[in-house]
Amino acid sequence: MTPHSLTPALRVLRGCLHLMVTALLALAAVRAVADHSPDAPAVVGAAVLLLAVYAVGPTLPPVRTSTAAAVLWLAAVMAVWAVLLALTPLGVWLAFPLFFVQLHLLPLRWALPAVLVTTLVAIGGFGWHTRTLTVGTVIGPALGAAVAVAVVLGYQALYRESEQRRRLIEELTAARSDLAAAEHAAGVLAERERLAREIHDTLAQGLSSIQLLLRAAERAMERRTDTATALGHVQQARQAAVDNLAEARRFVRALSPPDLEAGTLPAALERLCATTARSSGLAVHCQVSGAPVELPTPHEVALLRIAQSALANAVQHAHAGRAELTLSYMDTEVALDVVDDGAGFAPDAVPSPGSGAAEGTGFGLAAMRARARALRGTLAVESAPGEGTAVAVTLPYAQPAVPRTPAAAPTPDTPPEQATA
């Protein structure tokens, strides 16, 4: 373990180690004086010198950061300790804290031989003073060395495990932050896609209708004899602007389409067909097949938006003269078919949005497919140049549908005003 990577617990242990060295040196000096030993002055001097050399080490940065400096400092400490041990057998007590100092400062491959040498010096010095070598003389220092090695190795193992857990927690925290950022980005992209579909299928189509109506009104005013027709076109454009304003406000409130809030899906499709016919001149026929049922709001919104987009494509791109819109209720599915007699196109050749194609192309079909896919439905487009276009979407019921009362379901011949009543 490197000295510069100390934990608070290790700093406390290091402080206790310094206090132990100081206390043992003081005890050795006091005992020598109290026993009136002839070597008492030398023992006190050696103890003071050893304390001074030992105290210098923690104050020198190279000792804490350089193994070579630590080795030199330990060699000086061991030399003075050997002198003290030669003067008094009480010096053997210093062997135990020296074990910890060596294990702390030196790499393990060097620390273990140093501990072994210190143990042998302690056993030899104590045996030289007692003139005998007993089992206790050998076991004492050896047991102290074993305890020191076990404690340090155990602490290092716990330290490594703690570091691994700390790194794991940091990685988990970073992964959680990355996941939160990814989820946020995905949410932003999903919201952008939703708004893009809504704007394309409502505001963009409404503005296109307003443009067509104003252009027709402009042509009528140029003739100067068809003022009533021009006024009618202007009134229809104003109503389209009002409807688009309601749609824009709905985006802010995140509510269902106004047409669905005011009635049923079949009635909303009837109004859509009537509005398209008035604004573009496209002959649109709307019919309902099967017994109408109350669908989940997301299903009704998707079907209405797909119908808006399909009819807008028939007007703007296919230049169709007639279109058929059919809403079919089945046992577990609802289907919407929009067929026109326009110019047609090659579905495989339609560029994807953002692929560098002309502005405003390719997004309508992609939005319709995204709406169907979001509700686990399917969307099929059949077309060929000069042969018209057929768009068919099928959505499964997300929940058991509730049959509507016969009075709530408009018939194909029901006027739009009665369908909303």
Side-chain angles (χ1 to χ4, degrees):
M1 183 184 305
T2 58
H4 59 275
S5 62
L6 300 178
T7 62
L10 190 56
R11 292 190 180 95
V12 173
L13 292 176
R14 186 178 61 176
C16 294
L17 182 64
H18 297 336
L19 291 177
M20 181 186 298
V21 171
T22 303
L24 291 176
L25 287 174
L27 181 59
V30 170
R31 283 288 302 273
V33 174
D35 293 343
H36 303 287
S37 172
D39 296 328
V43 171
V44 173
V48 173
L49 180 60
L50 179 56
L51 181 61
V53 174
Y54 181 85
V56 168
T59 63
L60 297 177
V63 173
R64 300 192 301 270
T65 58
S66 172
T67 302
V71 170
L72 293 176
W73 176 71
L74 283 174
V77 170
M78 293 295 294
V80 180
W81 172 67
V83 173
L84 178 64
L85 183 58
L87 294 173
T88 174
L90 300 180
V92 74
W93 295 342
L94 272 299
F96 187 69
L98 289 177
F99 294 151
F100 287 98
V101 175
Q102 294 164 349
L103 290 168
H104 174 62
L105 289 180
L106 300 178
L108 190 60
R109 65 180 182 275
W110 293 0
L112 293 180
V115 169
L116 178 60
V117 171
T118 303
T119 304
L120 295 177
V121 172
I123 294 174
F126 191 78
W128 181 75
H129 281 286
T130 60
R131 299 291 189 269
T132 182
L133 194 62
T134 63
V135 175
T137 303
V138 176
I139 292 181
L143 184 59
V147 170
V149 171
V151 169
V152 171
L153 293 181
Y155 181 85
Q156 290 180 352
L158 291 176
Y159 179 82
R160 287 193 296 270
E161 183 177 355
S162 175
E163 284 296 297
Q164 290 176 356
R165 291 185 178 181
R166 181 185 61 81
R167 288 192 293 268
L168 179 60
I169 292 174
E170 291 178 351
E171 292 175 359
L172 290 176
T173 303
R176 183 174 60 182
S177 300
D178 293 342
L179 180 60
E183 290 179 349
H184 175 72
V188 171
L189 291 176
E191 183 64 13
R192 287 178 179 176
E193 182 180 355
R194 184 188 72 83
L195 289 177
R197 290 197 304 263
E198 294 290 337
I199 292 173
H200 177 273
D201 294 342
T202 56
L203 300 183
Q205 309 300 349
L207 292 174
S208 178
S209 298
I210 293 173
Q211 181 185 13
L212 293 175
L213 289 169
L214 292 179
R215 186 178 299 171
E218 183 181 8
R219 288 197 298 267
M221 292 178 65
E222 289 176 352
R223 292 194 294 268
R224 299 179 182 273
T225 58
D226 203 356
T227 306
T229 301
L231 180 60
H233 290 322
V234 172
Q235 291 175 343
Q236 292 179 22
R238 183 177 63 83
Q239 183 60 44
V242 171
D243 295 340
N244 276 262
L245 179 61
E247 290 286 357
R249 289 172 176 170
R250 183 190 66 81
F251 293 158
V252 178
R253 298 192 304 266
L255 300 177
S256 59
D259 286 341
L260 292 178
E261 291 178 350
T264 64
L265 175 61
L269 292 177
E270 286 279 359
R271 286 192 293 272
L272 172 63
C273 293
T275 301
T276 303
R278 287 196 304 269
S279 62
S280 65
L282 176 68
V284 186
H285 180 253
C286 180
Q287 61 180 351
V288 178
S289 173
V293 296
E294 185 175 357
L295 299 173
T297 300
H299 287 59
E300 293 187 341
V301 171
L303 292 172
L304 178 60
R305 296 305 186 215
I306 291 174
Q308 288 175 327
S309 184
L311 291 178
N313 288 340
V315 173
Q316 298 174 18
H317 303 299
H319 306 291
R322 180 176 179 79
E324 294 282 342
L325 188 149
T326 304
L327 179 65
S328 303
Y329 290 95
M330 294 169 280
D331 293 338
T332 59
E333 295 178 331
V334 60
L336 176 70
D337 298 283
V338 181
V339 182
D340 66 66
D341 61 354
F345 64 100
D348 296 337
V350 176
S352 59
S355 61
E359 182 179 359
T361 62
F363 189 83
L365 289 178
M368 287 190 282
R369 289 193 176 95
R371 289 184 184 278
R373 185 169 56 250
L375 298 176
R376 299 182 180 180
T378 59
L379 185 137
V381 179
E382 295 182 2
S383 182
E387 298 183 6
T389 302
V391 177
V393 58
T394 302
L395 301 179
Y397 293 152
Q399 60 186 20
V402 179
R404 293 187 182 274
T405 57
T411 63
D413 299 330
T414 303
E417 293 77 6
Q418 296 182 12
T420 58

